[in-house]
Structure formats: structure tokens, C-alpha cells
Amino acid sequence: MASSSLPPAMEVGESRNWTELPPELTSLILHRLGAIEILENAQKVCRSWRRVCKDPSMWRKIDMHNLGDWEDMDYNLEIMCRHAVDRSQGGLVEIDIWYFGTDGLLNYIADRSSNLRSLRLTRCSQITDNGLVEAVLKLPLLEDLELSYCSLSGVSLKVLGQSCPNMKTLKLKRYPQKENDDDALAIAETMPKLRHLQLFGNGLSDTGLNAILDSCLTLEHLDLRRCFNVNLIGDLQKRCSERVKVVRHPNDSTHDIDIGSSEDEYPYGFSDIDLMSDDTEFDHYYDLTGASDYSDYDQFDYYDDMLI
Amino acid sequence: MSSNKIVLTSSDDESFEVDEAVARKLEIIPDMIADDKAILLQNVTGMILAIIIEYCKKHVDDVDSEAKNELVMTWDAEFMKNIDMETLFKLLIAADYLKVKGLIDLTSNTIADYVKDKSPKEFREIFNIENDYTPEEEEELRKQNEWAFKDLN
């Protein structure tokens, strides 16, 4: 874990005692550290901080972002997560899980958090399609769903859409698919209120895209990076750019996408080459140097997602 | 283009004349602006108020719903970089009192970024906090961390 640098040196003299800070401001600062650090470090500092760290308001949004290294250090993140959810006392609205988690955990969360609005799962390889569906059926208020490299079939995506009528943001990152409109058609059929859609590595074709454009009339942001079965040219491109404010093309640069590894480092062996299935027809699609087409590319638009 | 000016005065009698739009970024102000064009901010010193006003001038045209662009974010980072912890503390409290939302978030995030990955002991050093746990309580805390060991089942 990287260490951070300290602020400029203070003048010698009276030093403020930070426990004098109002609890809600302490909470604001500590929350930014993420659930793991709050539980492991912050709450052990002193009694008043422990009180702040036990308050349910601190646990309305749970960020368990990590680089996969806590598991290596023998921490059981599943237990930690359950504990975090307990502290929310039913008030959980947003949760972000990386590199761990089982169907059991997901359903533990769903059973206790019927008000959940936002669910983000990245590389949760043990979570199954069935487990995910079972959980989502208990989360009718879900409006923001992000699944990166998790198991989910097109059929299940449809069930998901039907259970969550308020879905406004869907981000689905897949290992590259062959031509396949299952996801696109499921979305078109069940998620009419979508505002932000990201399909990364998806197999959708022009047909799927048109279906989405037909149904999702409030779409404002459409990200189709690495969806190489879509030909975003001519009329289709026109249709997209007229209907949707921000469009990311299949060949646009992906340097700003946080997929659990930096450009140079792939802790789980995940690389542009490893990405693909056994099918070698994908070989020629991979532009490893980045984007060739910057026409709609506004790198700063992605910042709002990354800052969360 | 003429604009209304408001005079903000700190607890230690330092006065700052600013455009009304800038003053309104201190969301506590609208309640105070009636006919009065001079406002006394009793809980904020001149030094801190100056910093806050500088932030508000830069952010006067912000639209809440829009994501901040890269230039503004760079400015914010630079702006925070040279402020020491003691001042950050006072700034956070003042920004909270004056209800300058963007600055509250920026300041608290800056502070948090300085203490990422720190141990409890390091926290105490940086924030000048005394450890008021007894050794028994600390041991108890350690044991309660049931996640600290991988599942042995």
C-alpha cells in the first residue's frame, strides 16, 4: 500500500487537538478513507473516534475498494463487510465491493438493506448469476448498478431490469464477447429509464444498439468502448449523437477506466491479451496503444464517475 | 457590468469587499443579506476568511450538477497543497460554519488523503490525539477484529 506525503510542516507552537472537531466533520474526513481503513485503523485511535465510527450515518455508503492486497494479508473481507453492513442498521444506500464476496454475503446485504440504491461489484469471481439475481430481487429501489467481470447472463439481466424499475445507471464490463445481443435486448426491454449506460467489451451489434435507442429515451451517456460488433458509422452514429449527449465509441481510449488494475500492472494476470476468451478472432481488435478515434472523446467527462 | 458589493468583516476586524455572487457562495450569507451590505462574521478570523474568499472567487461560476473539469481540480489541489494541518483544521470548521459546500468537501478530502494508510499511532501523531484507551480496552478491540484472520473453518 502506498504511503502518502504529509502536508507542509507546521509552525512550532500550539497544536490543535482534532478530537475538538465536530463529529460530523470527523465523520466526513474518516469516511473518505473507506470501510477497511475505518475498521482497521481509524476507529482504534481514540474513544471519541470510535463513537463516530460506530454511528450508522458513517455506514450509509460503504466503500470496500481495495487492490486485492488486504486478502493477501489474511484479512477476511467478507466478515468485515458484514460487520460494516451491520453498523448501517438498515440505512445502507450504496456499497462498492472489489475482489471478494460470495452469494451469501450479497444476500446478507440484500436482506438488511432494502433501501439500497447503488451496488457496485468488481471482480467478485465467487458471486454466481443465481446469487446475484436472488439478491437483486430484494432490492427494488436499486438505480445504480455496476458489474465488472461478474457472472450475469442476459436472461438474468432481464430479471434484474424487471425487479428494479428505477434503474438509471448501468455499467456492465465483460470479458470480450462474440456477437451477442442478449444484454442489449434485455436492457431495451426492461430499463426504459436509463440515463447512463456503459457496455464495455460487450458483444452487442447494431441491432442491439438500435433496440436500446428505441427504448431508452432518457439516455444521456452511452459508453460502448470495446464493443467491437457495433459499427458506429453513418446513420447509426448520427442517431446516437443526436439522441445522446455523450457517446464513447468502441475504439476510444480506455485509460480512464478503473478496472481494478493500472495500465501497467495487472495483479490478477488481467491484461489486454489475457482478456480474451480462447477465441483468437479477437486478436486483431486490440489496439494496445490506446485510441485511434478521439472525435467524441472528452476525457474529463469520465471524472465524475472516478471521483465517487 | 455593475454588481453589488458586499463587505465581509472577520472576527479580528479585517474587511473584504466582494461581489454579491461570491458572498453568496457562503451559504450562511443569504440569511444575513437583507439591506445590509456589510456582514460581520464573528467566528472567522481574517486569515481564514481570506482563504475562503479566494476559493469562492474561483468557484463563483460553478454549476452544482456538473462535474468539475480538470483545470479547476488542478487549481483546487494546488490551492490546498500549501496549507498546513493547523490551518486545514480551522478552514474546515469555518467552511462548515459558513456553509461553503465545495470547500467543506475539498478540505475534508485533502485531510483524508494525507492520512490514508496510516496506523492508529500515526493518526495520533498527526492529529495530536491522545490515546485514551486502556491497555485492556485495546486488547479487547484487537480481539473483536474477527476479520483479522482468515476463516479457519
Side-chain angles (χ1 to χ4, degrees):
Chain A
M1 293 178 271
S3 67
S4 48
S5 58
L6 285 171
M10 278 165 38
E11 284 172 13
V12 175
E14 191 191 302
S15 214
R16 195 66 64 150
N17 179 339
W18 285 68
T19 57
E20 291 166 16
L21 204 59
E24 55 286 0
L25 293 180
T26 304
S27 186
L28 200 56
I29 296 169
L30 297 183
H31 188 266
R32 168 91 167 174
L33 300 174
I36 300 174
E37 281 200 58
I38 294 168
L39 291 172
E40 260 309 295
N41 294 322
Q43 68 167 355
K44 296 177 186 170
V45 171
C46 64
R47 284 192 184 144
S48 62
W49 276 26
R50 185 168 169 78
R51 264 195 301 279
V52 168
C53 293
K54 292 193 95 161
D55 193 286
S57 60
M58 174 82 101
W59 302 96
R60 294 186 72 241
K61 298 184 183 182
I62 293 176
D63 175 7
M64 295 207 63
H65 188 129
N66 66 92
L67 298 171
D69 46 356
W70 284 81
E71 286 267 300
D72 289 342
M73 287 163 59
D74 279 343
Y75 287 91
N76 188 319
L77 293 181
E78 172 122 353
I79 295 181
M80 203 187 266
C81 189
R82 287 179 190 234
H83 192 97
V85 170
D86 288 345
R87 288 198 182 185
S88 73
Q89 297 194 23
L92 186 65
V93 292
E94 207 175 289
I95 187 161
D96 203 334
I97 296 176
W98 291 64
Y99 289 115
F100 71 99
T102 58
D103 291 347
L105 174 65
L106 205 50
N107 280 283
Y108 186 91
I109 296 168
D111 286 334
R112 284 156 188 73
S113 318
S114 53
N115 286 322
L116 197 67
R117 298 289 199 277
S118 168
L119 175 63
R120 293 178 200 154
L121 304 173
T122 299
R123 299 188 183 281
C124 304
S125 51
Q126 290 181 72
I127 291 178
T128 68
D129 189 284
N130 286 334
L132 189 47
V133 169
E134 191 187 335
V136 168
L137 286 171
K138 301 175 219 175
L139 303 171
L141 298 181
L142 207 57
E143 53 183 57
D144 176 351
L145 179 62
E146 196 168 322
L147 298 171
S148 301
Y149 311 105
C150 299
S151 309
L152 186 78
S153 67
V155 172
S156 299
L157 188 58
K158 213 197 294 196
V159 173
L160 219 136
Q162 284 161 343
S163 316
C164 306
N166 294 337
M167 197 62 76
K168 296 199 181 68
T169 299
L170 176 68
K171 296 182 187 174
L172 204 56
K173 291 194 187 78
R174 289 199 182 280
Y175 292 107
Q177 293 182 311
K178 290 195 254 197
E179 186 170 323
N180 178 343
D181 279 319
D182 286 355
D183 288 342
L185 296 175
I187 291 165
E189 203 176 310
T190 61
M191 301 184 192
K193 292 187 188 170
L194 268 189
R195 295 205 194 137
H196 187 128
L197 176 62
Q198 177 190 69
L199 294 172
F200 184 83
N202 201 284
L204 90 163
S205 70
D206 293 1
T207 306
L209 179 53
N210 273 311
I212 290 172
L213 292 171
D214 286 338
S215 301
C216 303
L217 304 176
T218 51
L219 206 53
E220 293 168 2
H221 188 124
L222 179 61
D223 185 343
L224 298 171
R225 282 179 278 184
R226 296 202 180 159
C227 297
F228 295 121
N229 291 297
V230 165
N231 293 311
L232 212 53
I233 52 174
D235 282 343
L236 184 54
Q237 181 179 32
K238 192 156 171 261
R239 192 177 181 213
C240 269
S241 58
E242 279 170 359
R243 286 276 321 286
V244 183
K245 269 191 225 161
V246 179
V247 182
R248 294 271 198 265
H249 290 228
N251 282 304
D252 282 355
S253 161
T254 58
H255 85 278
D256 58 339
I257 290 190
D258 190 3
I259 46 179
S261 60
S262 70
E263 294 267 58
D264 310 309
E265 170 205 17
Y266 299 97
Y268 284 73
F270 170 69
S271 69
D272 282 339
I273 295 167
D274 290 351
L275 264 191
M276 56 188 79
S277 58
D278 293 330
D279 207 321
T280 54
E281 77 185 48
F282 287 100
D283 280 345
H284 67 284
Y285 284 135
Y286 286 91
D287 174 15
L288 297 177
T289 59
S292 42
D293 171 23
Y294 280 90
S295 56
D296 285 293
Y297 181 54
D298 177 0
Q299 62 179 317
F300 306 132
D301 271 354
Y302 230 86
Y303 244 101
D304 52 344
D305 298 340
M306 297 305 117
L307 283 173
I308 290 167
Chain B
M1 179 181 83
S2 69
S3 58
N4 284 329
K5 299 280 186 192
I6 308 267
V7 173
L8 302 171
T9 306
S10 70
S11 58
D12 49 355
D13 274 333
E14 234 182 292
S15 284
F16 302 84
E17 193 186 51
V18 297
D19 288 343
E20 185 170 335
V22 171
R24 281 184 177 277
K25 293 218 51 106
L26 284 58
E27 288 184 24
I28 197 179
I29 295 277
D31 303 330
M32 295 177 172
I33 297 180
D35 301 310
D36 230 349
K37 296 299 182 183
I39 295 168
L40 172 61
L41 298 167
Q42 290 161 319
N43 296 345
V44 189
T45 63
M47 182 189 115
I48 298 293
L49 189 54
I51 298 174
I52 292 175
I53 288 173
E54 197 183 335
Y55 174 89
C56 291
K57 283 182 179 167
K58 182 73 182 176
H59 287 263
V60 69
D61 293 323
D62 279 3
V63 177
D64 266 342
S65 54
E66 280 173 11
K68 299 217 176 358
N69 69 52
E70 175 99 339
L71 283 174
V72 171
M73 289 181 58
T74 308
W75 187 91
D76 281 351
E78 268 305 306
F79 184 58
M80 286 283 117
K81 206 163 74 168
N82 297 315
I83 304 179
D84 63 68
M85 279 303 239
E86 175 76 16
T87 310
L88 285 173
F89 180 95
K90 295 176 190 164
L91 187 59
L92 181 58
I93 291 183
D96 182 54
Y97 167 69
L98 297 172
K99 300 193 191 157
V100 188
K101 179 142 202 322
L103 187 56
I104 297 169
D105 288 341
L106 177 61
T107 311
S108 55
N109 288 345
T110 303
I111 295 166
D113 287 344
Y114 282 135
V115 292
K116 262 209 132 342
D117 298 327
K118 297 278 186 270
S119 68
K121 183 160 177 284
E122 286 169 310
F123 267 109
R124 290 184 203 120
E125 280 163 11
I126 294 169
F127 291 128
N128 191 33
I129 291 175
E130 214 180 286
N131 182 0
D132 56 357
Y133 286 121
T134 65
E136 292 78 24
E137 281 172 333
E138 279 196 308
E139 180 57 28
E140 196 50 51
L141 276 178
R142 213 187 52 77
K143 282 200 193 133
Q144 277 176 16
N145 272 18
E146 47 202 323
W147 51 75
F149 306 98
K150 268 255 201 281
D151 228 359
L152 297 172
N153 297 339

